[in-house]
Amino acid sequence: AKYSLSRIIFHILSITLGLLFLFSAFSKTIPISLFIDNIYNRFSITYQAASMLERFIIGFEAGLGVLLIIGLYGKWRWVLYSVFGLLVAFTAFILVIWIQEGNEADCGCMGEMVKLNPMWSIIKNIVMLVMVIFLILKDRKKESTSRYYFAWIIPVIFICYPFIFVPGELGIDKMYAA
């Protein structure tokens, strides 16, 4: 048997995580203004900076999702470590919301399609963190140089995509106004 049960579970977890990341990214674009407002209202940054940060997060999340689905983790498994780091950052953000606003708040983590209070968001993220840890520990592939370079292209494309194709006023010139 070429594929053991462990390898099948590995691929199922990678694809599941990838689909969750893709769903999370794209659900934040419907409508995009709600997630921008979410960032703007919780951080001391300009609306334009919130708009840019939001588009970067959506693109990076979508790019990582695609890489997880196709099982391309890049040199030194940077994709898996990036997913881990993003989940830790999201969990810290949700924890702050929970402390400041209570468990009735909605972090907007899954866009408007799935409303999660902070407690369920954190539980979801812990489950996803366990999945990523499993993938990091069980990944045995050696990435070739061409696959390594290809892995970088996908997130770059997805990070650029929301800036180009998701409507909304970025007002980048206003960000630097006095």
Side-chain angles (χ1 to χ4, degrees):
K2 184 180 176 189
Y3 277 98
S4 65
L5 181 59
S6 175
R7 293 309 300 161
I8 292 169
I9 292 170
F10 179 90
H11 291 296
I12 289 171
L13 288 179
S14 188
I15 291 167
T16 301
L17 271 172
L19 290 171
L20 283 167
F21 263 68
L22 269 181
F23 176 80
S24 174
F26 288 111
S27 69
K28 288 178 182 127
T29 66
I30 308 168
I32 197 165
S33 59
L34 292 175
F35 191 60
I36 297 169
D37 292 341
N38 196 354
I39 292 172
Y40 174 72
N41 292 328
R42 291 190 168 115
F43 294 100
S44 298
I45 58 176
T46 66
Y47 193 79
Q48 292 77 21
S51 183
M52 291 178 66
L53 177 61
E54 179 268 348
R55 283 168 169 79
F56 177 83
I57 290 169
I58 287 172
F60 192 50
E61 205 173 8
L64 291 175
V66 168
L67 291 169
L68 285 166
I69 290 167
I70 63 176
L72 186 57
Y73 307 127
K75 195 170 186 179
W76 304 300
R77 295 186 198 107
W78 70 264
V79 172
L80 295 175
Y81 291 113
S82 295
V83 168
F84 184 85
L86 208 52
L87 284 168
V88 168
F90 287 163
T91 304
F93 173 67
I94 297 163
L95 198 55
V96 169
I97 291 171
W98 196 0
I99 291 166
Q100 291 178 345
E101 302 174 29
N103 199 39
E104 299 310 310
D106 175 28
C107 64
C109 304
M110 299 300 277
E112 290 299 300
M113 296 177 149
V114 178
K115 298 283 196 178
L116 291 174
N117 66 28
M119 181 188 74
W120 284 110
S121 259
I122 289 173
I123 290 170
K124 170 192 61 79
N125 285 4
I126 290 170
V127 169
M128 291 172 73
L129 281 165
V130 169
M131 293 165 71
V132 175
I133 291 168
F134 177 84
L135 293 176
I136 289 170
L137 294 175
K138 295 293 183 183
D139 181 40
R140 304 205 191 296
K141 270 193 286 187
K142 298 284 186 228
E143 298 291 353
S144 69
T145 305
S146 61
R147 286 175 59 95
Y148 161 64
Y149 287 119
F150 182 67
W152 282 98
I153 293 169
I154 291 174
V156 168
I157 290 169
F158 276 92
I159 287 168
C160 292
Y161 179 87
F163 286 95
I164 299 166
F165 296 106
V166 179
E169 175 61 42
L170 284 175
I172 294 169
D173 54 327
K174 296 176 197 158
M175 265 180 54
Y176 301 104

